[in-house]
Amino acid sequence: MAFRSAVITFPGSNCDRDMAVALEQVSGTAPVRVWHGDAQLPDGLDFIALPGGFSYGDYLRSGAMAANSPIMREVIRAADRGVPVLGVCNGFQVLTEARLLPGALMRNASQHFICRNAGLKVENAQSIFTGGYSAGQEISIPVAHHDGNFFADEETLDRIEGEGRVAFRYTDNLNGSRRDIAGVLNKAGNVLGMMPHPERAVDAAHGGTDGLALFEGAMKALASA
């Protein structure tokens, strides 16, 4: 059966096409493009992606307005049913604002926009998103953000650490994130938010392919489920 995915587009998204291209490249099937104002998701989705960008111009807080878009009610319901949901960069911010993930993404400690490759260490290689990697593996994935500084209180940090919900850490903390956290899973393991852009690391011609394993691993896990 064909892999059926969807990419959500908000006003101000600018990485939705990148995500769609990556998903089609890996799966051979173009994802459904879903507008933020839609009231329903397509039936039978295997995977939902919230892309990077500057939804609503980052007004109020990054991701705050997008988290209240009509389609997010359906994304939350899908996540609660166990559908894998990936939020990248602004998508990660939306997931925290929608309370699908803990913590918040604050202004980079440097107060500057950061755009470069980031070294990551795979902390949890047992989730649907990270099963294509090995625990402790170091990879390089591009980042491009101004508000990527992951923050949570100590109790929350201890909890997500203890539950094995840190998916990736920065090997060189470039934005001030607490405990070097670059990607976080929900308790069920079917929602991942990460600031680095794996969809920009699926083609050697673009500088690297370390993001491929995320998409390929997810497809493999879904196929064997």
Side-chain angles (χ1 to χ4, degrees), residues 33 77 81-82 98 105 114 165 179 191-193:
R33 307 294 295 275
R77 291 189 185 103
R81 293 195 305 270
L105 283 307
I114 299 170
R165 292 165 55 188
R179 302 191 188 180
V191 178
L192 170 65

Side-chain angles (χ1 to χ4, degrees), residues 67-89:
N68 290 284
S69 290
I71 199 61
M72 284 304 298
R73 292 191 288 270
E74 292 301 307
V75 171
I76 292 169
R77 291 189 185 103
D80 288 344
R81 293 195 305 270
V83 177
V85 178
L86 170 66
V88 172
C89 198

Side-chain angles (χ1 to χ4, degrees), residues 40-222:
Q40 294 186 343
L41 288 166
D43 293 333
L45 289 178
D46 300 305
F47 192 95
I48 300 168
L50 278 61
F54 302 91
S55 57
Y56 290 93
D58 284 346
Y59 293 123
L60 299 182
R61 294 180 307 277
S62 298
M65 294 180 70
N68 290 284
S69 290
I71 199 61
M72 284 304 298
R73 292 191 288 270
E74 292 301 307
V75 171
I76 292 169
R77 291 189 185 103
D80 288 344
R81 293 195 305 270
V83 177
V85 178
L86 170 66
V88 172
C89 198
N90 188 225
F92 186 8
Q93 295 161 346
V94 174
L95 291 176
T96 61
E97 290 287 344
R99 300 296 186 263
L100 282 171
L101 291 173
L105 283 307
M106 300 174 63
R107 188 64 46 86
N108 294 341
S110 67
Q111 302 294 304
H112 294 295
F113 186 87
I114 299 170
C115 183
R116 64 177 179 85
N117 282 349
L120 303 181
K121 180 182 178 183
V122 180
E123 287 291 328
N124 179 339
Q126 298 180 327
S127 77
I128 190 171
F129 304 99
T130 57
Y133 300 106
S134 301
Q137 182 178 349
E138 294 192 3
I139 60 176
S140 178
I141 304 286
V143 298
H145 58 250
H146 194 249
D147 298 337
N149 181 353
F150 181 76
F151 177 85
D153 60 45
E154 289 298 318
E155 180 180 353
T156 300
L157 291 168
D158 288 343
R159 184 176 72 253
I160 62 177
E161 295 261 21
E163 294 172 348
R165 292 165 55 188
V166 177
F168 302 102
R169 292 188 205 272
Y170 298 108
T171 58
D172 176 15
N173 192 336
L174 46 77
N175 54 28
S177 289
R178 299 294 296 275
R179 302 191 188 180
D180 304 327
I181 292 173
V184 175
L185 295 155
N186 70 337
K187 190 170 185 178
N190 68 304
V191 178
L192 170 65
M194 58 187 298
M195 288 310 296
H197 288 263
E199 78 282 6
R200 296 185 182 177
V202 297
D203 189 331
H206 293 165
T209 58
D210 282 354
L212 267 176
L214 186 149
F215 298 104
E216 292 175 341
M219 285 189 59
K220 182 177 179 181
L222 288 165

